[in-house]
Amino acid sequence: MKWFSKKSTLDEMQELKLLKIESRGFWIGFTGLFLVIAVQALFCGQENMNHMLAGEFIIFLCMGIYLIAECLRNGIWDRHLQATPKVNIGLSLLAALITALVNALTSYRNHQDASAALIVFAVCFLLFGAGISAALCACSALYHRKRKRLEEETDDGDNRE
């Protein structure tokens, strides 16, 4: 008796629903890990933070790398956002703002010095903003190159028929 089959036992509607469920599960896990890392970074002491965050950070990083690599490999950017410089800069600034805020609050909690926290905020905002913007621009360029290649393959397939 065969208990496992590589062929799906679901119809197309069930497959689509399962994909949606899996997608939501992935994003719940991804967001949850991000929140756990952010909360632990804010409320844990510096000496405990490195040991506490290692597992969560590794899983979060692997999920992010997998998502980016597979989307770029398949020529997918986003359902709602376009791969334009304006969007990339806006997202970079938002991510840099959140990251700088978490770092500044952590600095203030650890040292009780508002001016040092403000400096941490400014430096983190500038560095993360530039780094994230560069990463998004590189990914955007890879995405556009892949889309062009996929469109050329589709055009070549249509011309042969």
Side-chain angles (χ1 to χ4, degrees):
M1 186 165 139
K2 201 172 189 182
W3 62 274
F4 177 79
S5 173
K6 287 186 180 180
K7 184 180 176 196
S8 177
T9 60
L10 304 176
D11 64 27
E12 290 178 14
M13 182 63 78
Q14 290 171 322
E15 282 285 347
L16 287 174
K17 286 184 179 184
L18 181 59
L19 286 172
K20 191 176 246 184
I21 291 166
E22 290 171 343
S23 173
R24 284 185 185 147
F26 175 87
W27 284 109
I28 289 169
F30 194 76
T31 305
L33 281 171
F34 172 77
L35 292 174
V36 165
I37 290 168
V39 167
Q40 286 180 352
L42 283 172
F43 295 112
C44 294
Q46 186 67 30
E47 62 280 347
N48 297 329
M49 194 167 66
N50 293 336
H51 300 327
M52 292 178 69
L53 292 179
E56 289 94 336
F57 185 73
I58 290 169
I59 293 169
F60 183 74
L61 191 61
C62 289
M63 289 173 77
I65 290 170
Y66 170 78
L67 183 65
I68 291 168
E70 285 301 305
C71 285
L72 290 176
R73 188 174 70 82
N74 289 290
I76 299 169
W77 187 255
D78 187 76
R79 278 188 187 93
H80 307 290
L81 301 172
Q82 295 182 354
T84 63
K86 184 178 179 181
V87 171
N88 290 345
I89 290 170
L91 292 174
S92 299
L93 293 177
L94 178 63
L97 178 70
I98 293 168
T99 305
L101 189 59
V102 168
N103 281 308
L105 291 172
T106 302
S107 174
Y108 183 75
R109 186 206 63 220
N110 291 339
H111 305 291
Q112 301 297 317
D113 185 2
S115 62
L118 188 59
I119 292 170
V120 166
F121 177 83
V123 170
C124 284
F125 181 77
L126 292 173
L127 291 176
F128 281 103
I132 295 168
S133 182
L136 278 176
C137 286
C139 288
S140 180
L142 290 172
Y143 161 76
H144 286 297
R145 188 169 11 154
K146 181 64 174 187
R147 288 299 312 157
K148 185 177 180 182
R149 220 177 297 143
L150 289 172
E151 288 170 7
E152 288 172 357
E153 288 174 9
T154 303
D155 291 343
D156 290 344
D158 292 341
N159 292 337
R160 291 183 189 167
E161 293 176 5

